[in-house]
Amino acid sequence: MITVTARANKGLGISTSTIVNISNQDSNQTTIAVEEIRVQTTRSEINTIGGTQQLNALVFPSNASDPSVSWSVSNPSVAAISPTGVLTALDSGRVVVTATANDGSNIQATLTVDIRILSTSVVVTSPSDVINVDDGTLQLMANVSPESTLIKDVIWSTSDENIATISEDGLVQALLDGVVTVSARAWDSGVEGSKQITISNQIPFYEVTDIIVTGPTNIIDIENGTLQLAATVIPDS
């Protein structure tokens, strides 16, 4: 319903009005609903606390009347997402990101993102940095950071296994006097920490490589005869 007014252009401002009812008209604007959403990203993993990843929602059809979406995550303690689809890592874990159409169609799409925080530093500690008893041992510890790192395993090694060896649990075994650098390498990211250990008062142990038996002869040709033999151990130390 509209009111139509006619007013004279000249004269005393004379005008008249009438009410017009309008019905059975086709709308000039057709609402196009969202039919499908696809969530895309360049990768589906974040490896650092505070790391971000841009997610994009592709809305179909492309001429939908309202192509906007709302973002949400399944676990807000693991990751947060902005209204523009920027995902920020808060802790290690897995989240399902959902994009929901804002046009009332309830069309949704999801994407699973893993938050796998990698170690950034390894600090090697021990109650002492010397082994001064023969055949002594020393337990080392590896502190991996940050705390939210999912995998805290390290690979142990020594700079000289002739001086000392180390077990997979970080136990140093002294063999010879000297100084060794013990290293712990993070299994996930490869970052390393190290510590020098000084070893003293070790009694050298040499593995026998050969034994040579000698004697003045190799014959005994008299009854009840004897023969003195000598054994030489290699190395002689």
Side-chain angles (χ1 to χ4, degrees):
M1 178 185 296
I2 61 173
T3 299
V4 179
T5 300
R7 181 177 290 108
N9 291 329
K10 297 180 180 180
L12 300 176
I14 298 174
S15 65
T16 186
S17 299
T18 187
I19 295 175
V20 179
N21 291 312
I22 301 175
S23 62
N24 300 321
Q25 304 300 304
D26 291 333
S27 174
N28 292 326
Q29 295 184 351
T30 302
T31 300
I32 302 175
V34 174
E35 297 177 0
E36 181 185 1
I37 300 174
R38 299 175 191 172
V39 177
Q40 293 185 336
T41 185
T42 55
R43 55 190 174 88
S44 57
E45 183 175 286
I46 303 176
N47 300 127
T48 58
I49 292 292
T52 60
Q53 182 68 26
Q54 177 66 60
L55 276 63
N56 299 302
L58 300 181
V59 175
F60 298 92
S62 60
N63 62 339
S65 299
D66 182 1
S68 66
V69 300
S70 295
W71 295 96
S72 61
V73 293
S74 59
N75 192 343
S77 66
V78 172
I81 194 162
S82 74
T84 57
V86 177
L87 187 69
T88 302
L90 304 177
D91 200 355
S92 288
R94 173 174 288 182
V95 293
V96 177
V97 182
T98 302
T100 303
N102 288 328
D103 67 348
S105 62
N106 293 321
I107 299 298
Q108 293 183 330
T110 62
L111 180 71
T112 299
V113 179
D114 288 320
I115 313 295
R116 189 169 70 92
I117 306 303
L118 300 181
S119 53
T120 57
S121 71
V122 178
V123 177
V124 178
T125 62
S126 63
S128 174
D129 56 5
V130 299
I131 301 175
N132 53 18
V133 295
D134 182 43
D135 201 33
T137 60
L138 180 64
Q139 182 65 57
L140 274 60
M141 286 76 69
N143 299 316
V144 178
S145 297
E147 182 61 32
S148 55
T149 298
L150 195 60
I151 300 175
K152 292 184 169 62
D153 295 339
V154 298
I155 300 171
W156 292 97
S157 63
T158 66
S159 58
D160 191 338
E161 292 191 345
N162 292 317
I163 296 176
T165 59
I166 190 166
S167 72
E168 62 181 16
D169 298 319
L171 184 66
V172 177
Q173 174 66 61
L175 299 176
L176 295 174
D177 289 356
V179 178
V180 293
T181 299
V182 179
S183 300
R185 178 167 57 88
W187 186 87
D188 60 353
S189 66
V191 297
E192 286 190 1
S194 63
K195 185 179 182 67
Q196 276 196 342
I197 305 297
T198 301
I199 300 172
S200 60
N201 300 321
Q202 303 303 302
I203 300 174
F205 170 80
Y206 299 98
E207 183 178 354
V208 174
T209 59
D210 198 4
I211 299 176
I212 301 174
V213 177
T214 60
T217 182
N218 58 358
I219 299 173
I220 300 176
D221 55 4
I222 60 173
E223 186 178 357
N224 294 324
T226 61
L227 178 63
Q228 180 64 55
L229 301 176
T232 301
V233 177
I234 307 297
D236 58 8
S237 57

